[in-house]
Structure formats: structure tokens, C-alpha cells
């Protein structure tokens, strides 16, 4: 590529484009806290990028509605956990500063400013989307738009589907203000008795068990008509409160502190968590969202009972609870959705007649989900359950689906007399209850269920199948970058690495023994484990690149992560940059590193990819004295983001890849395509903002998601085409 070509290459193309001209930022010195971007504000910046996709006219209309719903869901989790934690610190007078030097109270001020702007933008986006939906025949009606026929239809729906689960609650001296649970969505109403004008105050909790939008019938092709449930309740208020009329009303939503606290010395961790889950519903109120109106008396009464300050309320002029907009993403309107995509079945597995063990035995295999079907992981365990030569299965479970085929396969294997060990992490936030149910099911089937460490979450994704082949036992191991969750695997991009390498199999067994029996491994051959040595290995590799740069050798790092906020890792990367190491990072979400600062990070660039699929894989490549990609590079797949919690307070894996085809696939396809992406990339600026080159994005702009949908991976190809395959970059040695 010529200098002119490089100058014209988009700065978001990290594979072909130049590093941006560094900026001088005097406050961001190597010893100053300002060298870090605040974690919470970085997370909010990520949610802004998600919301931007809801306003992106190049995204199909219903997918834009989905993005808006996701941004609302993300925000509620963020506020219920992260903001709630900061509030507790500030209230207790415990003021540890964040890495960037901000105190909890200072962070909360910035969070509230950004959050209020986020809500304003969500409402503006929804107004635009609602109009666009109407043009496509998807109508969200107000009460005054209902026809007589609609009202007759709603009479039946209300009686059959709403009224049985509806519980109106009067508020008077005999009926005190009730407890409103976390995420509780409630209508407060003041009524007047028609006979004598006597006032009645009541609450109508809007049931979360039924849909937020009621669908109305339509005789027009491709027309869909909906009315919000809260409007249905107002329409039928005379049935709920006979003889009364509404004089005032408002709706509000309560968010409570949703982080769990548990006793570290709990004798029965499962029972302790079952109790803690009940406490979550009763956590402190940390946010109230309320409909905007002039009825201050009613609002003030609600806030007084919730013990929540008026000036902290998020008073909204539009819809509250936009997470529910996902109900409007209609499968019957494929014209308004992403084009259908069917994940590929690896050719190599088909060549072996679906025998996953034979396919892996022939060569290590790396599958890239969702482009290659996650069913191969399910098949791996189902085949193990049914194979008479399989004697044992060992499996970690962090998150999985409710009716999990993974758990079903493990139960089947246990019932067939195989030795099954399941490491169930019941501390997986918001999945604790589901994981407890899964563990009970596994225990009933005869599996050994292990809950791991009290003070560490087991976040590693590993499955070991021990199979008798002739006179020896062979261990087939699967390491994943994502969860054993068939549903999220359809939208999360992750890697599945299958191998029957003896050394890696031994490492996998050591990992499981570490969690199940506290048997800390003395040696590891191809695996690093957090919190034992994963951090040390990462720092060693970064420092090796730093030394290579100081010696005048090529020095380069490519990494793909979900989050990067660990101060020690960031400082090591700053030192590498100062020595001349070229560092290209794809960090989807939170990033505490400031790139492109003269004298600190001028050789570091960071971008985030937000698009059709959720980037989730953790992949690393170190040049090892060569320019990337290189046959001599050191390549890893990992379950761990570069965060203190992952490196110090979780059980995580870092798997070194030695198979040449798999290494080639990771560098020349997966990482190269992410680096080359322009269509969905946001480039992090030194000040912590993100920039998208909208003006230069066209239909022909390179999209890594499109590339992966159209091109099979290298290691999954059959022998007939094993020598060919699309690579975006080629090793130079």
C-alpha cells in the first residue's frame, strides 16, 4: 500500500490504515490518575453507541427498535448494580477514589448528567421510530384512537387475560402504601366516586407476567395494531373501580439495588443464595422513573412513600420502560429485520458423518459462533452422553438457557452411569435462580454438582470428555470464550476451540480439579488460570513485546476484548507504547485506556464494534519479534476480560493455541476482519469520546459481520478445500 493509499484509508481500518496523529494532553501523564478513563462513564459511552444504532437509518427498522430496547435494558442493569454500589459508598462515607481519581459522589454527578441526556435521546428516538413504524403498518395507538370495535375486543382481552392477574391496591389508613418490588411498574391514580365525589387513592401494579403491548385485530394485510397495557387499564378503570372516575394518574417504575450480598462462611451456599435473591427484590430504591405531568400532589405522595427525593426523579414525557419495546420486533415482518442467516455446519464434521470426536481427532478445530452453529457444542455433549466408550464428562456452567440442551445431555449421561461433574456458578449475576434450578436437576440425575469457591466466580468455559479408545483414555476438551448458552450463542460472537491434545486435556483436568477440590495446580502446560497466573502471563507477554521494541525488533499486539480497565495492564500497555510497540485493540464496551496521547499512548489505538451481533470473544496475539500476522506469533483465546475482577477474583482461562491452522484462522480471519471493519467501528479518542466516520461509510465499507457470514472458517473446512480459504492478512514468515 502506498503512502497516498494509507492516507486515504479510514482511521477505523486498523488492519490497513495508519495510526492517528497523537495529541498532546498535559493532564494525562504516566503518573497522573487522568491517564485513565472512568469506568462508569466509559460504560455509559458504550450504551450511547448502542442507542446510536437505534437511530441508524442503515439498520432495518425493527432492528432499530430492538437496539432501543437493549439500550434501556442495559441502563437498568447498570443503574441497579454499578450506580447502586456508588450510592452505597457515598452514603456510608466510604470514599475510595476510582482509578481516574473521581470519588463516588463525583462519579454519581456525571452519571446522572449522562443518564438524563440518554433518556432524552431515547424518547426522541422512540418518537422517530414510532412514526416510521406507522408508515410500515405497525401502529401503536393511544386511547383516543381506539374504535368501537377495538373497545369491544379489549373488553374480552381484559376479562380473560388481564383482570385475573390484576390486583388494585387502595391507599388509606387501613391499607398502607405497599412494597413496590424491583423493576415494579405501577400506575398511581386518584379517583372520585360518582355518587358523592368522595376521593379514593389507589395503585395499580402493572403485571410483569403479561405483555406490555396488547395486539388489536386488523383486516389489512401487513398491518399490526397495538395499544399499551397501561392505556388498556385506564380504558377499563370503570370495571376495576365501579362507580369511580379518574381525576389524576401517573405511572412510575422503581429500580432497586440489585447486587447480592452473601455471607462468605455460609454453610449452604445454595440456601444462602435463595435467601439473597429474595432480598434483591427488597433492595434500596436507587432510581424512580415517573411520567411527566402537572399532578404534583400525586407524584409527591408516591415519592414520599418511596422515601425518594423529588430532585432525583427521572421525570419523562414519553414511554417509561422502553425495554418492553422488544415485544414489537415482529418475526412476521422479515422485510423490516436483518436478512435471515443460517449458521454453517463445519464441513469437517460433515465429512466424518456428524461424528464430532472423529472430526476433532483428525485435527484441532476452532468454530466461530454464530457464523458456525453452536449446535456443534451441544452435539459434542449429546454424543458424549450416548457414546458407550465415554466414561466421564466434566463441565463448567456459568450461564445457560432455561431448558438447556447442555444440562439435558449432562443429565442423560449421568443417568446412563457415566461419571458427570458439573461446576455450577450460582453467583452469575441475574442468573442465580436459574443456575440453582439447573443444579437441582443435575443432582437428581446423579451428577456431581460443585459450586466452586465462595470468594471467586468460576467464569471459565471448559468441557472435558474422557473417552476410552483401545487401551488408553483420550480427553477431548472444549474451551469457549462465551457461555454454554444456545440462545445467546445465536447473537454473541464467540469462539469454540476443540482439541484432543493430551497436554491441553491435562490442563483442563487440572483446572476442574482446582475448582472442585481446591487442588491448586503446580504446573500448567498450555493453559494459564486466573487468579493463579493469568495476570502474570499477560504482563510477561506485554513486557516481552516491550523488550523486542527496545532491541529494534518488530513488536506488535493485537487484542480483542469486551472490557479493559485493569490499571496494571493499562500501565504495561502504556510502557509498551512508549517503547515503540504497535498496539491495536478492539474493545467492545468499557475501556479505561486513553489512546493516541503523545508520550503516553501514541502507539495505541482502540475501537469498538457495535452491530448486528454482540462482540464477545476474547482473543490475543503477540508478535514475538515479528510483524503480525506471523507464524511465530503467540496466540491465545480466553474467557477473561482485562478487568481486576476477571484477573484476581474469578476463575478464568487463557489457552495458548499451537495448531497452525487454528492460529492462522485467528490472526488472518477473525482478528484481521475485526481490525479491518469500518462499517460498524467507533474509534476511541484521547478524551474518552468515540468517533464514527459516518461520512465515509458506504454500502461497500468493510463489515466484519458480513465477511464472517459469507466466508467459512479455515479450521472447519473439509479436506477437499483445506488448502484454500479467504484470509484478510497473510503471515510474512
Amino acid at each position: 500500500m502506498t503512502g497516498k493509499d494509507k492516507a486515504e484509508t479510514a482511521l477505523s481500518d486498523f488492519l490497513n490504515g495508519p495510526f492517528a496523529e497523537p495529541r498532546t494532553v498535559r493532564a494525562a501523564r504516566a503518573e497522573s490518575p487522568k491517564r485513565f478513563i472512568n469506568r462508569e462513564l466509559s460504560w455509559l459511552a458504550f450504551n450511547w453507541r448502542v442507542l446510536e444504532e437505534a437511530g441508524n437509518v442503515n439498520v432495518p427498522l425493527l432492528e432499530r427498535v430492538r437496539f432501543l430496547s437493549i439500550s434501556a435494558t442495559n441502563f437498568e442493569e447498570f443503574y441497579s448494580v454499578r450506580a447502586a454500589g456508588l450510592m452505597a459508598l457515598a452514603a456510608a462515607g466510604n470514599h475510595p477514589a476510582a482509578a481516574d481519581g473521581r470519588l463516588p459522589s463525583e462519579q454519581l454527578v456525571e452519571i446522572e448528567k449522562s443518564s438524563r441526556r440518554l433518556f432524552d435521546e431515547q424518547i426522541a428516538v422512540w418518537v422517530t421510530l414510532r412514526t416510521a413504524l406507522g408508515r410500515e403498518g405497525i401502529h401503536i395507538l393511544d386511547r383516543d384512537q381506539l374504535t368501537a370495535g377495538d373497545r369491544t375486543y379489549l373488553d374480552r382481552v381484559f376479562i380473560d387475560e388481564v383482570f385475573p392477574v390484576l390486583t388494585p391496591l387502595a391507599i388509606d389508613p387501613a391499607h398502607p402504601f405497599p412494597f413496590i418490588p424491583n423493576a415494579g411498574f405501577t400506575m398511581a391514580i386518584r379517583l372520585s366516586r360518582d355518587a358523592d365525589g368522595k376521593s379514593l387513592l389507589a395503585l395499580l401494579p402493572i403485571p410483569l407476567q403479561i405483555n406490555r403491548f396488547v395486539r388489536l385485530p386488523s383486516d389489512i394485510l401487513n398491518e399490526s395494531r397495538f395499544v399499551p397495557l397501561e392505556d388498556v387499564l385506564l380504558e377499563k378503570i370503570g370495571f376495576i373501580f365501579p362507580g369511580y372516575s379518574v381525576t389524576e394518574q401517573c405511572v412510575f417504575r422503581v429500580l432497586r439495588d440489585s447486587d447480592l450480598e452473601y455471607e462468605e462462611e455460609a454453610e449452604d451456599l445454595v440456601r444462602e443464595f435463595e435467601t439473597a435473591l429474595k432480598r434483591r427484590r427488597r433492595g434500596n430504591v436507587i432510581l424512580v422513573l415517573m411520567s411527566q405531568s402537572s399532578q404534583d400532589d400525586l407524584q409527591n405522595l408516591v415519592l414520599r412513600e418511596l422515601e425518594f427525593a423529588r430532585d432525583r426523579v427521572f421525570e419523562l414525557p414519553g414511554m417509561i420502560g422502553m425495554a418492553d419495546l422488544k415485544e414489537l420486533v415482529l418475526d412476521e415482518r422479515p422485510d423490516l429485520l436483518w436478512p435471515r442467516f443460517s449458521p454453517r455446519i463445519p464441513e469437517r464434521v460433515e465429512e466424518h458423518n456428524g461424528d464430532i470426536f472423529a472430526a476433532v481427532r483428525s485435527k484441532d478445530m476452532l468454530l466461530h459462533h454464530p457464523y458456525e452453529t453452536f449446535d456443534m457444542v451441544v452435539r459434542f455433549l449429546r454424543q458424549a452422553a450416548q457414546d458407550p466408550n465415554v466414561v466421564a464428562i466434566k463441565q463448567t456452567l456459568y450461564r445457560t438457557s432455561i431448558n438447556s440442551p447442555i444440562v439435558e445431555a449432562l443429565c442423560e449421561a449421568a443417568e446412563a452411569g457415566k461419571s458427570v461433574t458439573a461446576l455450577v456458578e450460582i453467583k452469575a449475576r441475574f442468573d442465580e435462580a436459574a443456575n440453582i434450578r439447573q443444579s437441582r436437576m443435575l443432582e437428581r440425575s446423579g451428577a456431581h454438582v460443585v459450586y466452586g469457591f465462595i470468594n471467586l466466580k468460576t467464569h471459565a468455559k471448559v468441557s472435558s470428555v474422557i473417552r476410552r479408545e483401545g487401551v488408553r483414555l483420550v480427553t477431548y476438551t472444549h474451551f469457549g470464550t462465551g457461555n454454554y448458552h444456545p440462545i445467546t450463542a445465536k447473537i454473541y460472537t464467540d469462539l469454540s476451540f476443540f482439541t484432543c491434545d493430551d497436554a491441553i486435556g491435562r490442563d483442563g483436568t487440572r483446572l476442574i480439579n482446582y475448582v472442585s477440590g481446591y487442588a491448586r495446580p503446580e504446573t500448567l502446560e498450555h493453559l494459564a488460570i486466573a487468579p493463579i497466573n493469568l495476570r502474570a502471563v499477560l504482563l510477561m507477554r506485554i513486557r516481552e513485546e516491550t523488550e523486542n521494541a527496545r532491541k529494534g525488533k518488530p513488536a506488535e499486539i493485537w487484542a480483542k476484548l469486551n472490557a479493559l480497565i485493569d490499571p496494571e495492564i493499562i500501565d504495561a500497555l502504556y510502557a509498551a507504547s512508549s517503547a515503540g510497540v504497535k498496539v491495536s485493540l478492539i474493545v467492545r464496551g468499557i475501556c479505561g485506556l486513553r489512546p493516541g496521547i503523545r508520550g503516553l499512548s501514541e502507539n495505541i489505538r482502540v475501537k469498538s464494534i457495535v452491530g448486528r451481533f454482540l462482540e464477545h470473544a476474547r482473543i490475543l496475539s503477540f508478535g514475538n519479534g515479528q510483524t503480525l500476522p506471523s507464524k511465530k506469533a503467540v496466540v491465545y483465546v480466553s474467557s477473561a476480560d482485562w478487568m481486576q475482577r476477571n484477573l484476581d477474583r474469578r476463575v478464568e482461562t487463557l489457552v495458548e493455541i499451537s495448531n497452525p491452522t487454528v492460529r492462522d484462522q485467528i490472526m488472518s480471519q477473525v482478528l484481521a476482519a475485526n481490525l479491518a471493519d469500518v462499517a460498524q467501528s467507533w474509534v476511541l479518542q484521547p478524551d474518552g469520546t468515540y468517533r464514527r466516520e459516518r461520512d465515509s461509510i458506504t454500502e461497500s465499507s468493510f463489515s466484519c459481520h458480513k465477511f464472517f457470514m459469507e466466508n467459512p472458517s479455515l479450521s472447519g473446512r473439509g479436506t477437499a478445500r483445506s488448502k484454500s480459504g479467504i484470509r484478510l492478512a497473510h503471515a510474512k514468515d
Side-chain angles (χ1 to χ4, degrees):
M1 181 177 290
T2 67
K4 180 177 183 296
D5 292 334
K6 279 196 173 186
E8 293 175 352
T9 302
L11 287 175
S12 55
D13 181 356
F14 285 7
L15 184 66
N16 304 298
F19 280 69
E21 186 68 24
R23 298 185 200 170
T24 299
V25 181
R26 298 188 186 282
R29 300 184 305 274
E31 69 280 2
S32 168
K34 297 302 181 184
R35 69 189 186 278
F36 300 119
I37 298 171
N38 181 266
R39 170 191 170 135
E40 318 307 342
L41 300 182
S42 181
W43 185 93
L44 283 168
F46 165 67
N47 210 34
W48 272 102
R49 298 195 292 281
V50 174
L51 181 57
E52 286 270 358
E53 288 301 282
N56 185 349
V57 295
N58 296 318
V59 173
L61 181 57
L62 289 181
E63 303 294 352
R64 293 170 63 189
V65 174
R66 195 195 309 272
F67 274 116
L68 179 55
S69 170
I70 292 170
S71 76
T73 302
N74 287 349
F75 178 82
E76 290 192 2
E77 180 175 340
F78 167 78
Y79 231 89
S80 297
V81 177
R82 297 299 307 177
L86 289 173
M87 289 177 189
L89 288 174
N94 184 6
H95 289 185
D100 71 327
R102 285 185 172 92
L103 297 175
S105 57
E106 294 171 325
Q107 294 175 71
L108 287 169
V109 170
E110 296 299 323
I111 287 170
E112 183 168 333
K113 286 179 183 177
S114 183
S115 298
R116 289 186 182 277
R117 289 191 296 106
L118 184 75
F119 272 109
D120 289 343
E121 184 62 21
Q122 284 180 338
I123 291 166
V125 169
W126 173 232
V127 170
T128 300
L129 291 178
R130 184 171 179 173
T131 301
L133 289 169
R135 288 195 295 266
E136 296 292 344
I138 301 174
H139 303 285
I140 295 85
L141 306 179
D142 296 322
R143 287 176 61 203
D144 57 7
Q145 295 175 295
L146 298 174
T147 66
D150 293 335
R151 290 186 166 88
T152 300
Y153 175 79
L154 287 175
D155 285 341
R156 182 185 63 77
V157 171
F158 178 77
I159 294 298
D160 293 347
E161 300 178 22
V162 179
F163 186 67
V165 295
L166 192 66
T167 305
L169 303 170
I171 307 299
D172 60 25
H175 300 84
F177 197 92
F179 174 77
I180 307 298
N182 181 44
F185 187 38
T186 307
M187 180 182 296
I189 48 178
R190 193 183 299 278
L191 303 114
S192 174
R193 190 157 62 189
D194 298 337
D196 57 11
K198 185 175 180 180
S199 178
L200 172 66
L201 182 66
L203 298 182
L204 270 181
I206 299 175
L208 301 178
Q209 296 78 15
I210 55 181
N211 285 345
R212 175 74 178 275
F213 294 93
V214 177
R215 191 164 190 170
L216 298 167
S218 176
D219 296 328
I220 301 175
L221 182 66
N222 273 346
E223 182 181 66
S224 302
R225 304 167 67 244
F226 297 89
V227 60
L229 182 58
E230 55 266 37
D231 281 0
V232 175
L233 296 182
L234 285 173
E235 182 69 20
K236 304 304 175 187
I237 206 75
F239 186 91
I240 303 169
F241 295 97
Y244 282 85
S245 300
V246 175
T247 57
E248 296 180 62
Q249 61 87 18
C250 71
V251 293
F252 63 94
R253 185 176 180 87
V254 171
L255 295 183
R256 294 180 179 273
D257 183 346
S258 293
D259 209 6
L260 288 181
E261 294 182 4
Y262 60 95
E263 296 295 331
E264 292 191 3
E265 300 303 322
E267 292 183 7
D268 187 334
L269 194 59
V270 175
R271 187 173 295 114
E272 173 69 21
F273 261 83
E274 288 173 331
T275 303
L277 286 169
K278 295 174 184 176
R279 291 201 300 268
R280 170 182 283 167
R281 288 172 52 82
R282 304 191 66 89
N284 294 328
V285 176
I286 49 94
L287 184 64
V288 175
L289 310 173
M290 185 168 279
S291 60
Q292 193 175 72
S293 72
S294 59
Q295 298 152 349
D296 289 342
D297 289 346
L298 185 59
Q299 291 183 352
N300 287 336
L301 183 147
V302 170
L303 295 174
R304 184 169 62 251
E305 295 292 341
L306 292 174
E307 298 180 347
F308 197 80
R310 175 86 195 198
D311 60 358
R312 292 178 54 209
V313 173
F314 281 35
E315 196 170 355
L316 307 176
M319 179 182 175
I320 292 175
M322 289 192 185
D324 296 330
L325 290 173
K326 61 181 179 291
E327 295 176 14
L328 302 178
V329 182
L330 307 175
D331 290 339
E332 73 242 36
R333 292 299 303 271
D335 56 314
L336 303 178
L337 297 168
W338 297 116
R340 290 190 182 277
F341 167 70
S342 297
R344 292 181 295 273
I345 297 174
E347 295 169 2
R348 182 135 56 90
V349 176
E350 291 183 314
E351 278 188 353
H352 289 88
N353 299 315
D355 185 341
I356 194 83
F357 296 133
V360 174
R361 195 159 51 242
S362 67
K363 188 170 62 173
D364 289 353
M365 183 168 63
L366 185 84
L367 303 185
H368 194 186
H369 311 305
Y371 313 107
E372 290 161 309
T373 177
F374 188 79
D375 287 348
M376 293 299 101
V377 179
V378 176
R379 181 182 297 184
F380 177 65
L381 290 164
R382 280 182 173 160
Q383 186 176 331
Q386 297 163 7
D387 187 339
N389 292 317
V390 169
V391 297
I393 304 173
K394 300 181 179 184
Q395 173 81 45
T396 63
L397 291 171
Y398 185 71
R399 298 189 196 276
T400 188
S401 53
I402 295 175
N403 298 311
S404 170
I406 302 285
V407 173
E408 289 176 4
L410 295 175
C411 289
E412 181 183 354
E415 290 165 355
K418 302 181 192 303
S419 173
V420 175
T421 302
L423 307 178
V424 180
E425 181 48 79
I426 59 173
K427 298 187 291 293
R429 183 179 289 134
F430 300 120
D431 279 319
E432 299 95 343
N435 286 359
I436 289 172
R437 287 194 298 270
Q438 305 279 22
S439 66
R440 299 296 195 202
M441 186 186 308
L442 287 160
E443 286 177 329
R444 286 194 296 269
S445 299
H448 303 289
V449 177
V450 179
Y451 299 112
F453 300 98
I454 291 176
N455 59 344
L456 300 174
K457 284 186 180 180
T458 302
H459 193 248
K461 284 80 177 175
V462 58
S463 179
S464 292
V465 173
I466 297 88
R467 188 172 188 270
R468 189 176 301 282
E469 297 182 358
V471 297
R472 63 189 294 263
L473 293 177
V474 177
T475 300
Y476 291 83
T477 310
H478 168 267
F479 285 99
T481 63
N483 299 307
Y484 289 99
H485 199 307
I487 296 175
T488 58
K490 295 177 181 178
I491 56 173
Y492 286 27
T493 74
D494 271 305
L495 298 181
S496 279
F497 176 55
F498 293 92
T499 183
C500 60
D501 179 90
D502 289 339
I504 294 179
R506 288 191 294 270
D507 280 348
T509 299
R510 291 179 180 116
L511 167 67
I512 291 172
N513 291 347
Y514 171 54
V515 180
S516 66
Y518 295 177
R520 186 183 178 98
E522 292 184 355
T523 60
L524 291 164
E525 298 169 75
H526 292 278
L527 184 68
I529 299 174
I532 297 174
N533 66 336
L534 200 155
R535 175 189 289 277
V537 170
L538 289 177
L539 290 171
M540 176 191 73
R541 292 301 183 192
I542 295 170
R543 287 164 183 161
E544 284 177 349
E545 293 302 311
T546 304
E547 286 303 309
N548 285 334
R550 287 172 178 158
K551 293 175 181 177
K553 297 180 180 179
E556 198 165 359
I557 298 172
W558 290 354
K560 182 179 184 300
L561 307 159
N562 300 322
L564 167 57
I565 57 169
D566 183 82
E568 188 177 16
I569 296 291
I570 292 174
D571 281 339
L573 291 171
Y574 285 154
S577 170
S578 297
V581 181
K582 297 293 185 181
V583 182
S584 297
L585 305 174
I586 306 110
V587 184
R588 185 200 74 214
I590 306 167
C591 184
L593 180 151
R594 293 187 185 274
I597 296 176
R598 195 180 310 278
L600 179 71
S601 57
E602 57 197 275
N603 290 309
I604 304 177
R605 53 187 175 181
V606 181
K607 71 173 175 177
S608 169
I609 294 175
V610 179
R612 175 171 182 170
F613 302 110
L614 181 79
E615 294 298 328
H616 195 251
R618 294 91 167 184
I619 320 167
L620 320 173
S621 183
F622 299 90
N624 196 25
Q626 306 294 323
T627 300
L628 291 173
S630 166
K631 294 177 182 178
K632 297 180 181 178
V634 180
V635 178
Y636 297 96
V637 297
S638 181
S639 65
D641 288 311
W642 289 356
M643 307 172 74
Q644 288 169 295
R645 71 180 190 190
N646 297 82
L647 303 180
D648 300 333
R649 300 192 299 276
R650 290 188 175 188
V651 178
E652 303 272 15
T653 58
L654 180 72
V655 187
E656 185 173 356
I657 304 297
S658 57
N659 179 275
T661 305
V662 175
R663 288 157 46 85
D664 188 15
Q665 178 183 344
I666 289 173
M667 286 186 289
S668 302
Q669 280 193 321
V670 181
L671 281 174
N674 277 269
L675 291 169
D677 181 90
V678 172
Q680 298 146 193
S681 292
W682 297 73
V683 180
L684 178 58
Q685 306 300 303
D687 63 359
T689 62
Y690 284 79
R691 177 184 163 200
R692 191 177 194 181
E693 298 166 300
R694 293 182 180 84
D695 295 340
S696 62
I697 297 175
T698 66
E699 289 187 5
S700 62
S701 295
F702 183 81
S703 162
C704 64
H705 293 170
K706 186 172 184 290
F707 171 81
F708 293 130
M709 286 190 286
E710 294 176 349
N711 297 286
S713 66
L714 296 177
S715 68
R717 307 199 86 182
T719 55
R721 293 194 285 178
S722 61
K723 299 296 184 182
S724 62
I726 295 179
R727 296 166 174 79
L728 289 172
H730 292 267
K732 301 173 179 62
D733 48 0

